[in-house]
């Protein structure tokens, strides 16, 4: 963990430049030093059917969620959340200046017991520590 999800309306697929956003998010999460590099993942969920506001404009939105494992302090979570939302707003600033766009972000802490994982990628990065 962490896993970063971006739910995006289809009408901004190219303009959203999600590969660039994901590269920046993954690097920023790694740079915090509180998340294992081998567990960081980002993904897009493209929405081909949606309604926003009155439906009268070519509205778009991106709702982002960061899911993290339990155990980080509220202070650490808040710092990560504020850092990521600043990064997100900067990434989408030009697009927001050109069109109606809603951005939202939330962080979810997963249950410490009911959270099952298996990942052999961590081994690759343990030798580099």
């Amino acid at each position: 963990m962490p896993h970063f999800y971006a739910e995006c309306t289809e009408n901004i697929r190219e303009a959203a430049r999600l590969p660039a956003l994901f590269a920046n998010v993954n690097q920023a999460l790694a740079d915090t030093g509180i998340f294992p590099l081998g567990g960081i993942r980002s993904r897009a969920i493209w929405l081909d059917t949606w309604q926003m506001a009155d439906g009268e404009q070519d509205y778009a939105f991106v709702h982002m969620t960061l899911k993290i494992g339990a155990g980080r302090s509220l202070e650490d979570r808040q710092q990560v959340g504020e850092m990521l939302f600043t990064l997100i707003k900067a990434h989408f600033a030009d697009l927001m200046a050109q069109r109606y766009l809603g951005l939202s972000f939330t962080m979810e802490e997963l249950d410490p017991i009911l959270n099952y994982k298996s990942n052999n990628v961590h081994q690759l990065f343990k030798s580099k520590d």
Side-chain angles (χ1 to χ4, degrees):
M1 297 265 56
H3 291 201
F4 182 77
Y5 298 78
E7 298 174 58
C8 302
T9 56
E10 181 67 37
N11 60 341
I12 58 169
R13 184 179 280 265
E14 296 302 319
R17 302 178 301 109
L18 290 187
L21 175 64
F22 292 166
N24 289 334
V25 164
N26 283 25
Q27 187 63 57
L29 290 171
D31 290 347
T32 66
I34 63 173
F35 300 109
L37 183 58
I40 299 172
R41 300 188 186 118
S42 293
R43 65 192 70 134
I45 302 166
W46 292 103
L47 306 172
D48 63 3
T49 307
W50 71 92
Q51 172 81 28
M52 185 174 173
D54 60 6
E56 297 293 319
Q57 303 291 324
D58 185 29
Y59 303 116
F61 68 83
V62 184
H63 173 69
M64 291 143 287
T65 304
L66 181 68
K67 294 185 180 189
I68 63 171
R72 278 88 181 180
S73 70
L74 175 59
E75 181 180 86
D76 283 347
R77 288 180 284 150
Q78 188 170 8
Q79 286 177 350
V80 167
E82 290 171 4
M83 177 269 299
L84 279 185
F85 198 53
T86 297
L87 185 154
I88 288 164
K89 290 188 296 182
H91 177 83
F92 287 105
D94 290 341
L95 186 57
M96 188 170 267
Q98 299 167 18
R99 64 171 305 125
Y100 295 112
L101 176 65
L103 298 176
S104 56
F105 170 70
T106 187
M107 185 183 306
E108 297 176 7
E109 186 177 43
L110 300 176
D111 187 284
I113 307 288
L114 303 173
N115 182 10
Y116 307 93
K117 309 182 263 276
S118 179
N119 179 350
N120 66 2
V121 177
H122 290 291
Q123 296 167 217
L124 174 66
F125 296 103
K126 283 188 189 228
S127 64
K128 295 180 180 182
D129 289 340

